[in-house]
Amino acid sequence: DVKVTQSSRYLVKRTGEKVFLECVQDMDHENMFWYRQDPGLGLRLIYFSYDVKMKEKGDIPEGYSVSREKKERFSLILESASTNQTSMYLCASSLFRNEQYFGPGTRLTVT
Amino acid sequence: LAKTTQPISMDSYEGQEVNITCSHNNIATNDYITWYQQFPSQGPRFIIQGYKTKVTNEVASLFIPADRKSSTLSLPRVSLSDTAVYYCLVAPSGGNTGKLIFGQGTTLQVKP
């Protein structure tokens, strides 16, 4: 079975802090994704990567950056956390773009 | 990018068949239709994918008419554990072209 793990299930940070969310997959998938999920808005794509060191912006990249130095690891970075970035963050990986395997999510609260 | 439209919510009873329809009028020739299921506090889970006509697996069936402007996810004999949010997704299957869009999904509530 594909396993996608995320570094934390729950995280509380202060406004202005730099936040790192890490995601690791164990199936040698080319594609990796970061989403955020908010009530009433569904899942929104922040960034995705289709190869090591490659990245593309999703629909809401503002305020975020990503890093993919190794194939199995995809990191989401909030350079200066703000309260409007309080959300559930979901990482996913896939071999074929549409069949994505999701991690358990990180619920981030920025105070 | 093809935008999808699906009902916000649906109710059903245990043992019934549930059909959730997704509209995607601007679907492109190389787009596939994929459905995901999400339980509370969990990430979405891939259910089924198709390109045209009918696809069936152990979980669900997917019906796609010839014009591909809509699709219907069919869940046979639902149980309480099928209560979840169901997302319809339209995008190319391979490569790195295009972006992925999850809509708001359909919240299915199965009642006893």
Side-chain angles (χ1 to χ4, degrees), chain A residues 37 40 50 97-98 100 102, chain B residues 36 38 49 93 97-98 100:
Chain A
Q37 185 170 32
Y50 51 88
R97 168 166 291 189
N98 288 354
Q100 297 182 26
F102 282 81
Chain B
Y36 285 78
Q38 186 178 24
Q49 177 175 267
S93 180
T97 57
L100 300 171

Side-chain angles (χ1 to χ4, degrees), chain A residues 9 31 33 35 37 40-45 48 50 56-59 88 90 96-105 107, chain B residues 1 32-34 36 38 41-46 49 87 89-104:
Chain A
R9 285 304 305 269
N31 305 307
F33 310 83
Y35 296 87
Q37 185 170 32
L41 296 177
L43 280 89
R44 293 181 290 168
L45 181 65
F48 66 100
Y50 51 88
E56 284 199 28
K57 293 179 180 179
D59 295 306
M88 169 69 85
L90 289 158
F96 303 106
R97 168 166 291 189
N98 288 354
E99 189 171 341
Q100 297 182 26
Y101 294 86
F102 282 81
R107 188 166 293 281
Chain B
L1 293 172
Y32 282 71
I33 300 152
T34 313
Y36 285 78
Q38 186 178 24
S41 301
Q42 294 185 27
R45 180 178 75 107
F46 171 89
Q49 177 175 267
Y87 293 96
L89 180 71
V90 173
S93 180
N96 55 19
T97 57
K99 298 177 183 177
L100 300 171
I101 298 176
F102 279 82
Q104 291 196 33

Side-chain angles (χ1 to χ4, degrees), chain B residues 73-108:
Chain B
L73 175 74
S74 181
L75 305 170
R77 297 180 298 282
V78 295
S79 64
L80 295 176
S81 63
D82 292 314
T83 292
V85 179
Y86 293 83
Y87 293 96
C88 168
L89 180 71
V90 173
S93 180
N96 55 19
T97 57
K99 298 177 183 177
L100 300 171
I101 298 176
F102 279 82
Q104 291 196 33
T106 298
T107 299
L108 172 65

Side-chain angles (χ1 to χ4, degrees), chain B residues 21-95:
Chain B
T21 297
C22 180
S23 172
H24 28 79
N25 291 319
N26 297 322
I27 190 168
T29 303
N30 59 344
D31 282 342
Y32 282 71
I33 300 152
T34 313
W35 286 81
Y36 285 78
Q37 174 192 57
Q38 186 178 24
F39 298 113
S41 301
Q42 294 185 27
R45 180 178 75 107
F46 171 89
I47 300 177
I48 197 167
Q49 177 175 267
Y51 185 80
K52 60 180 179 181
T53 62
K54 178 183 174 182
V55 179
T56 296
N57 62 21
E58 65 278 5
V59 176
S61 294
L62 179 60
F63 298 92
I64 306 167
D67 67 5
R68 304 202 326 124
K69 292 184 183 299
S70 66
S71 58
T72 299
L73 175 74
S74 181
L75 305 170
R77 297 180 298 282
V78 295
S79 64
L80 295 176
S81 63
D82 292 314
T83 292
V85 179
Y86 293 83
Y87 293 96
C88 168
L89 180 71
V90 173
S93 180

Side-chain angles (χ1 to χ4, degrees), chain A residues 13-28:
Chain A
K13 294 291 182 180
R14 294 191 181 273
T15 301
E17 280 193 84
K18 190 169 186 175
V19 181
F20 293 88
L21 302 182
E22 303 230 311
C23 174
V24 178
Q25 50 97 0
D26 66 357
M27 283 301 292
D28 202 36

